[in-house]
Amino acid sequence: MTTIDTPRPDAIAGENSAGAPRVDNYLTWTKGFLSWALTLDHKRIGAMYLLGILFSFLVGGVFALIVRTELIAPGQTIIEPETYNIFFTLHGAVMVFLVIVPSIPASLGNFVLPIMLGAKDVAFPRLNLFSFHLWIIGAIFTVLALLLGGFDTGWTFYTPYSTKTELGGVIPVIFGVFILGFSSIFTGLNFIVTVHKMRPKGMTWFRMPLFLWALYATALIQILATPVLAITLMLVGIERAFQIGIFDPAMGGDPVLFQHFFWFYSHPAVYIMILPAMGIISELITVHSHRHIFGYRFIAYSSVAIAIFSFLVWGHHMFTSGQSALLNTIFSAITFSVAVPSAIKVFNWMATLYKGSIALNTSMLYALGFIFLFTIGGLTGIYLGTLNVDVHLHDTYFVVAHFHYVMMGSALIGFIGGLHHWWPKMFGKMYDENLGRIAFVLVFVGFNVTFFTQFMLGSHGMPRRYYDYQPEFTTYHLISTIGSYIMAAGFFLTAMYLVHSLFYGRKAPANPWGGRSLEWQCTSPPPHDNFKTTPEVGDCYDFSVVRWNEEEGGYVVQRPDEDPESENV
Amino acid sequence: MISSIANILLGFATAAPGTTPANFWMPEGASVQAPRIDFTFEVINWINYVFFAGITIALLYLVIRYRQRGKNVEFSPGPEHNTPLELTWTIVPTLILVGIFFMGFAGYLDLRTSPKNTYDIKVTAQQWAWEFEYPNGAKSTSELVVPQGRPVRLIMRSKDVLHSLFIPDFRVKQDLVPGRYTYMWFQSDAANDPTDDSDFHWLFCTEYCGDSHWNMNVHVRVFPQEDFEKWTKEQARWLDVIPEEDLYFMAGPKLYARCATCHTIDGSDGTGPSWGPRDGLPALWERIVSGKGKVSGGSKFIPGKTNLSDYIGDGKLYLTPEDYFKDSIYNPGALLVSGYGNQMPTFQGQLNDRAIDALIGMSRNLDEFNADGTFKDQAKLAEAEARIAEAKAAAAELPVEGGNSGAVTD
């Protein structure tokens, strides 16, 4: 394992200065731009990813608001059709490739995974830094694509339109996504090796926190599926640049082949987005209800089952593409099988609440919101997996609503919930819990108002990616746009109180929520090396020893032998 | 809160004209396939209502019942797992899903398998229009008219990129893939009123195909057998029966409807250059004749020669303005108007000389047309229509020439 050779300026200074020794803190460990840009510390890399991802989320969100505002009424509202096409494409591409895919693994996962394992860092810290640098380069190419004329292919880059459109941004963005793909692969590779090789003594596979199971399953998909996307997009670029017929029938290619390649990655990618969120929810539900997770093995196995099934269902995006009826039937059948492990997780989370001691903290509200929204997202997936119903609903707003319930209502809500959960750990500050709850309500209500209406739009036949629409769809579009403004208000409020907490927040205790996994045993924020000695591993879901401590302002873990005064234990 | 949102939404939906709780989810079906799809949809709906209500109520109950009071953890060692329970909630959803799969599968086979005696219509899609060709050679681009009570099969192809043909009221959808043929079939037993233009079903393009994807939609109308035959016969010959001098205002607007996706006639901006005066230049015909129009690219572009006058005239690329006009429709990539890309498809084989005449005539008399392409002088139009109807009545005894009308009547 690579070690960090930099001296310990603060530690030395701390010992020399008068008064109490300074607390070892990864944020203030070293100073200066390069100490961050070239850091090998997984915590700093996680924090920088977080900043980049949240900024991209803001950008993608602004694109979404422009799109929704254009759709507030029939006819032209604020932009031209060509501009609209660029904006919905950018919204999709930024949100998928720059935000949701890296969101949880690269930011929260990077930060938490080694600490949960009691390790000092991931297995390959230099690769980890390289993966972040690749993310930055990928993001720069996306911005470049925008400056070179933009691209209007939709985030799906369907051929032959993507090889024919005249806008100059197509090749830069393809290259950007290619690079982002490698960033994702390196993170996945790192996590797999770390989980295999660096578990502490006593932490068997089935004693790992479920978040690690989820990250592990995600990493498997990342390294197996992402290369296919990278190669496919390269082929599109080659076809555009050198007029070699691969997907364009005018040059002897086959456009449906592109769809197979694309969804072979992009369907598993849905699970790259949702699995880590499910892992976070498993943590949030147990910690904030202080109850042992119900059915640990079923949840762990279902993560792996989802990862495996996710490779076998890509054809359900292509029921109307001209794919044969036989293939459609097979893909429909396998698609239904992927619904079962998802259902198992929901039921297990609910059973965990039973006889718990449920603290309605902001992050718990997000977890409960996740269960609600994921239920809607999952149940509406049944319509789309059903062959004859999908023929009617395919490529309408019903699909748009469904995947926003899954990708935003579930994956991103899980990310925001996890962000609130680990925020005190990452930055050592507590945010205003009441503002957090208010912001959650705004986001939750706004989300449902925005996207539930789109189910009705879709079932009535409103196609997606339309700049304008028939007057009979006006009411639903208006409600949907209002909802998006409510949601935006919720996110702005969240940004405000989180930034506020960095400067004025109360100092966070080591264990503000009563968690048992290892990250709650080190200080907030963690020291540079996470742990001085490898910590002892207990059952990370045993909350019988968790006690509230008023002095700490947080929870402490008391074992019977350490706590002679305790009467109950 | 959720129920109140649902109520508000339901209130909005029912407030919209023509929407009742019965079609809260699905629009009224108008094909023989619709009831079966709607039934499957309804079955899933009710299963989902039950699961959704169950999960929501259980979630709210658990959160309220077991909420933490204060900061102390009231620990209670509940069950950590329960295998029979977990197997139950694995197996029961699996069985339900298997049932739903078979409903969808059986329904899908009906949707894919067309009956033997179908009435075949050829569909060609290109950016950004549909063309429907009937067995008697009749062509239509402004609407799809189909016979009532007869299975119709669409034999579809695309000339450029992916498109998808979707008729929500019929519950059918199929992609059009360049380089391949795809089929779709449907049958509608409920006729529209042939005399009422506002009685129709929508046909949308549902596969993103570029700038005017959103505008690539036409009306579908179901005509009773007799009206349908009459319509196809008229459609096959409509351009031929119009006298030369009436072409520009009788045929012009109908042909222009196809151009209107990209070209306005009032000078406002579009995907292609407007026919009207724009950017300080005169209207289209004047731009061509005067040679003041600017070009900046294309396969026949000569670097440095940016005025149309460099290309039109004796000893130049085009002898007459009419030649240029025609070639920019048949071979649109030859010369690209300054500020616009190479996006227009060719219309060679779709527009004959009379059609080109009609469009040239229209562009020369733009002041006689409204911004939406309709002819201003309704009286003149009505008079010309009456003359044609008269001639038609006189010729009614004669058999129809050309075209395979036998296929229409079967």
Side-chain angles (χ1 to χ4, degrees):
Chain A
M1 199 184 83
T2 318
T3 51
I4 295 100
D5 303 325
T6 44
R8 303 178 152 209
D10 283 19
I12 297 158
E15 278 160 18
N16 292 345
S17 63
R22 289 179 59 177
V23 179
D24 180 2
N25 172 349
Y26 83 98
L27 290 168
T28 53
W29 179 245
T30 48
K31 287 195 165 57
F33 174 76
L34 285 183
S35 80
W36 282 83
L38 298 177
T39 182
L40 299 180
D41 183 354
H42 69 97
K43 297 182 289 299
R44 286 193 166 188
I45 294 172
M48 288 189 294
Y49 257 124
L50 183 67
L51 188 67
I53 286 163
L54 289 177
F55 181 74
S56 306
F57 180 55
L58 173 70
V59 173
V62 170
F63 291 146
L65 287 175
I66 293 172
V67 166
R68 277 303 342 152
T69 304
E70 173 55 46
L71 292 171
I72 198 168
Q76 182 170 341
T77 314
I78 48 167
I79 47 176
E80 302 277 329
E82 294 81 7
T83 325
Y84 173 86
N85 291 343
I86 292 174
F87 276 131
F88 82 66
T89 300
L90 281 169
H91 165 68
V94 167
M95 286 300 197
V96 170
F97 297 113
L98 283 173
V99 181
I100 309 181
V101 166
S103 63
I104 296 170
S107 65
L108 300 178
N110 238 328
F111 189 94
V112 172
L113 178 132
I115 311 184
M116 274 186 164
L117 291 171
K120 287 185 175 21
D121 211 314
V122 290
F124 307 119
R126 284 176 210 284
L127 191 65
N128 200 20
L129 177 67
F130 185 44
S131 135
F132 175 67
H133 288 166
L134 285 180
W135 187 88
I136 295 282
I137 297 170
I140 289 172
F141 268 97
T142 311
V143 175
L144 204 63
L146 194 56
L147 299 177
L148 291 174
F151 52 107
D152 66 340
T153 59
W155 77 277
T156 46
F157 300 108
Y158 265 24
T159 54
Y161 185 74
S162 59
T163 55
K164 285 187 170 157
T165 178
E166 304 221 318
L167 295 182
V170 178
I171 287 183
V173 75
I174 279 176
F175 203 61
V177 172
F178 181 84
I179 293 168
L180 289 173
F182 275 99
S183 164
S184 178
I185 292 170
F186 291 155
T187 303
L189 188 70
N190 226 332
F191 284 4
I192 288 178
V193 177
T194 310
V195 168
H196 268 278
K197 290 294 186 192
M198 297 175 69
R199 274 174 291 127
K201 207 172 175 207
M203 189 184 279
T204 59
W205 282 91
F206 288 101
R207 294 183 83 171
M208 285 199 312
L210 285 162
F211 184 44
L212 297 189
W213 269 102
L215 285 176
Y216 181 79
T218 307
L220 284 180
I221 312 178
Q222 281 176 309
I223 63 169
L224 289 175
T226 316
V228 179
L229 175 77
I231 295 165
T232 307
L233 291 180
M234 269 294 123
L235 290 175
V236 173
I238 289 169
E239 183 170 273
R240 260 186 89 86
F242 305 113
Q243 302 294 303
I244 295 169
I246 300 160
F247 303 123
D248 185 352
M251 296 184 276
D254 182 356
V256 180
L257 180 68
F258 173 84
Q259 297 178 32
H260 280 291
F261 281 172
F262 182 80
W263 290 113
F264 186 83
Y265 163 77
S266 293
H267 193 77
V270 172
Y271 295 96
I272 293 179
M273 303 181 221
I274 191 73
L275 271 176
M278 289 171 159
I280 285 184
I281 299 310
S282 298
E283 296 299 319
L284 300 194
I285 294 278
T286 53
V287 171
H288 293 271
S289 61
H290 308 100
R291 256 282 280 132
H292 194 288
I293 188 80
F294 185 90
Y296 179 99
R297 279 178 186 251
F298 266 69
I299 296 185
Y301 284 135
S302 65
S303 287
V304 179
I306 288 173
I308 294 168
F309 281 131
S310 74
F311 280 98
L312 306 172
V313 299
W314 79 88
H316 70 213
H317 297 268
M318 301 167 59
F319 285 162
T320 69
S321 71
Q323 179 173 259
S324 79
L326 176 66
L327 274 183
N328 282 346
T329 307
I330 294 169
F331 279 123
S332 169
I334 308 175
T335 298
F336 279 105
S337 67
V338 91
V340 177
S342 308
I344 291 173
K345 283 185 191 266
V346 169
F347 294 136
N348 276 298
W349 290 325
M350 290 174 59
T352 304
L353 296 175
Y354 175 64
K355 288 196 171 179
S357 182
I358 301 167
L360 288 176
N361 299 318
T362 308
S363 29
M364 185 60 173
L365 290 177
Y366 276 101
L368 297 169
F370 174 100
I371 297 182
F372 181 88
L373 299 174
F374 181 69
T375 300
I376 296 180
L379 291 176
T380 51
I382 298 175
Y383 301 95
L384 299 172
T386 308
L387 278 169
N388 60 346
V389 178
D390 179 69
V391 168
H392 176 66
L393 297 176
H394 180 75
D395 267 343
T396 66
Y397 265 73
F398 195 94
V399 176
V400 176
H402 162 72
F403 74 68
H404 276 92
Y405 264 87
V406 178
M407 287 161 85
M408 176 165 193
S410 308
L412 267 174
I413 290 294
F415 170 62
I416 305 283
L419 182 65
H420 283 84
H421 183 67
W422 283 299
W423 183 268
K425 182 56 64 185
M426 293 181 87
F427 301 106
K429 294 292 171 63
M430 303 298 288
Y431 47 84
D432 187 326
E433 202 68 66
N434 285 328
L435 284 178
R437 294 188 183 109
I438 293 169
F440 165 77
V441 171
L442 285 174
V443 169
F444 183 78
V445 171
F447 179 88
N448 283 294
V449 173
T450 308
F451 292 109
F452 203 82
T453 43
Q454 297 187 1
F455 285 121
M456 272 82 88
L457 273 176
S459 66
H460 282 93
M462 168 82 205
R464 62 192 282 205
R465 297 175 170 178
Y466 262 33
Y467 166 74
D468 199 6
Y469 48 85
Q470 274 59 50
E472 65 244 42
F473 296 123
T474 309
T475 317
Y476 288 134
H477 272 298
L478 175 65
I479 300 173
S480 182
T481 302
I482 293 171
S484 71
Y485 295 155
I486 299 174
M487 196 167 25
F491 282 123
F492 275 110
L493 180 59
T494 308
M496 273 159 52
Y497 70 71
L498 285 182
V499 171
H500 180 269
S501 79
L502 289 179
F503 299 102
Y504 308 104
R506 179 167 65 83
K507 192 185 171 326
N511 192 353
W513 319 121
R516 282 295 325 269
S517 43
L518 292 179
E519 81 270 27
W520 304 112
Q521 292 189 21
C522 61
T523 52
S524 304
H528 177 72
D529 291 333
N530 300 345
F531 302 98
K532 295 295 172 219
T533 53
T534 308
E536 199 183 326
V537 180
D539 181 346
C540 62
Y541 295 115
D542 174 16
F543 294 93
S544 63
V545 291
V546 169
R547 297 280 178 279
W548 175 255
N549 184 318
E550 201 59 54
E551 279 170 46
E552 281 268 328
Y555 290 85
V556 290
V557 174
Q558 289 180 332
R559 291 189 182 75
D561 47 49
E562 297 167 359
D563 187 20
E565 288 167 17
S566 172
E567 302 149 25
N568 302 330
V569 189
Chain B
M1 184 183 69
I2 299 316
S3 66
S4 63
I5 290 174
N7 277 335
I8 293 167
L9 294 178
L10 197 66
F12 269 112
T14 45
T19 312
T20 60
N23 56 19
F24 178 71
W25 285 109
M26 288 288 209
E28 211 169 308
S31 70
V32 295
Q33 291 107 317
R36 188 163 186 178
I37 293 172
D38 292 0
F39 178 72
T40 315
F41 188 91
E42 276 304 308
V43 169
I44 303 173
N45 250 356
W46 282 102
I47 293 172
N48 281 354
Y49 290 157
V50 170
F51 272 89
F52 176 71
I55 289 172
T56 309
I57 292 167
L59 201 59
L60 287 175
Y61 168 78
L62 287 166
V63 169
I64 294 167
R65 169 72 181 74
Y66 296 109
R67 73 184 182 282
Q68 186 184 24
R69 291 165 178 84
K71 287 289 187 184
N72 287 320
V73 175
E74 299 156 38
F75 181 77
S76 120
E80 289 182 13
H81 71 102
N82 182 328
T83 308
L85 184 65
E86 289 174 76
L87 284 177
T88 308
W89 69 43
T90 307
I91 292 166
V92 170
T94 307
L95 293 177
I96 294 173
L97 290 171
V98 168
I100 296 175
F101 163 74
F102 274 104
M103 282 187 77
F105 169 57
Y108 176 69
L109 288 186
D110 281 359
L111 209 54
R112 266 300 263 259
T113 319
S114 59
K116 286 211 171 101
N117 57 336
T118 52
Y119 179 82
D120 290 353
I121 300 173
K122 284 186 202 162
V123 180
T124 309
Q126 60 182 313
Q127 289 168 322
W128 291 276
W130 304 97
E131 187 187 73
F132 308 102
E133 190 180 342
Y134 293 80
N136 69 344
K139 285 180 184 174
S140 167
T141 53
S142 54
E143 57 180 356
L144 170 63
V145 177
V146 295
Q148 178 194 12
R150 221 182 136 174
V152 173
R153 183 170 62 162
L154 304 184
I155 300 171
M156 313 193 289
R157 66 191 191 93
S158 163
K159 280 188 164 181
D160 38 42
V161 298
L162 296 169
H163 300 279
S164 187
L165 190 149
F166 176 36
I167 307 171
D169 291 351
F170 292 177
R171 314 281 191 272
V172 290
K173 181 183 291 130
Q174 177 65 51
D175 287 8
L176 292 85
V177 183
R180 294 186 183 191
Y181 285 91
T182 48
Y183 290 165
M184 162 197 279
W185 85 276
F186 53 81
Q187 177 180 335
S188 180
D189 290 344
N192 297 106
D193 181 354
T195 59
D196 180 4
D197 283 350
S198 65
D199 184 17
F200 64 86
H201 308 288
W202 276 111
L203 183 158
F204 295 120
C205 175
T206 46
E207 189 67 77
Y208 176 69
C209 57
D211 291 352
S212 294
H213 166 57
W214 56 279
N215 205 10
M216 193 170 157
N217 42 54
V218 293
H219 296 175
V220 180
R221 302 174 75 201
V222 183
F223 281 6
Q225 193 66 37
E226 234 170 72
D227 296 276
F228 178 73
E229 278 171 37
K230 198 168 139 231
W231 181 86
T232 45
K233 279 179 194 166
E234 280 175 17
Q235 197 67 19
R237 313 184 336 164
W238 72 278
L239 200 56
D240 300 335
V241 297
I242 301 171
E244 194 71 35
E245 66 273 18
D246 297 341
L247 263 181
Y248 80 95
F249 67 89
M250 294 199 70
K254 282 187 188 172
L255 295 164
Y256 168 74
R258 171 70 183 80
C259 317
T261 326
C262 305
H263 301 276
T264 68
I265 58 174
D266 63 355
S268 59
D269 199 19
T271 306
S274 174
W275 290 10
R278 59 170 191 95
D279 305 326
L281 293 165
L284 176 65
W285 187 252
E286 187 61 23
R287 294 203 291 270
I288 299 175
V289 173
S290 68
K292 282 181 188 159
K294 297 282 184 219
V295 292
S296 63
S299 59
K300 295 182 183 171
F301 177 72
I302 306 161
K305 303 209 167 183
T306 57
N307 288 321
L308 268 185
S309 53
D310 296 329
Y311 299 91
I312 303 170
D314 271 350
K316 295 177 188 158
L317 185 57
Y318 303 109
L319 210 55
T320 60
E322 282 84 351
D323 282 334
Y324 167 72
F325 192 102
K326 180 176 168 181
D327 201 44
S328 53
I329 293 174
Y330 282 3
N331 189 11
L335 284 178
L336 299 177
V337 173
S338 184
Y340 294 90
N342 185 10
Q343 284 186 297
M344 180 166 158
T346 174
F347 288 86
Q348 194 146 22
Q350 293 181 47
L351 297 178
N352 59 20
D353 285 355
R354 282 178 68 80
I356 300 283
D357 277 354
L359 289 173
I360 291 177
M362 190 172 165
S363 77
R364 295 178 75 156
N365 297 286
L366 277 185
D367 53 332
E368 292 179 41
F369 294 87
N370 296 310
D372 63 354
T374 50
F375 192 53
K376 281 180 187 162
D377 191 346
Q378 287 296 314
K380 188 174 174 187
L381 189 65
E383 191 197 320
E385 270 168 2
R387 252 185 288 128
I388 290 173
E390 215 172 281
K392 217 185 280 177
E397 306 305 315
L398 298 171
V400 179
E401 289 167 37
N404 181 8
S405 60
V408 182
T409 50
D410 198 7

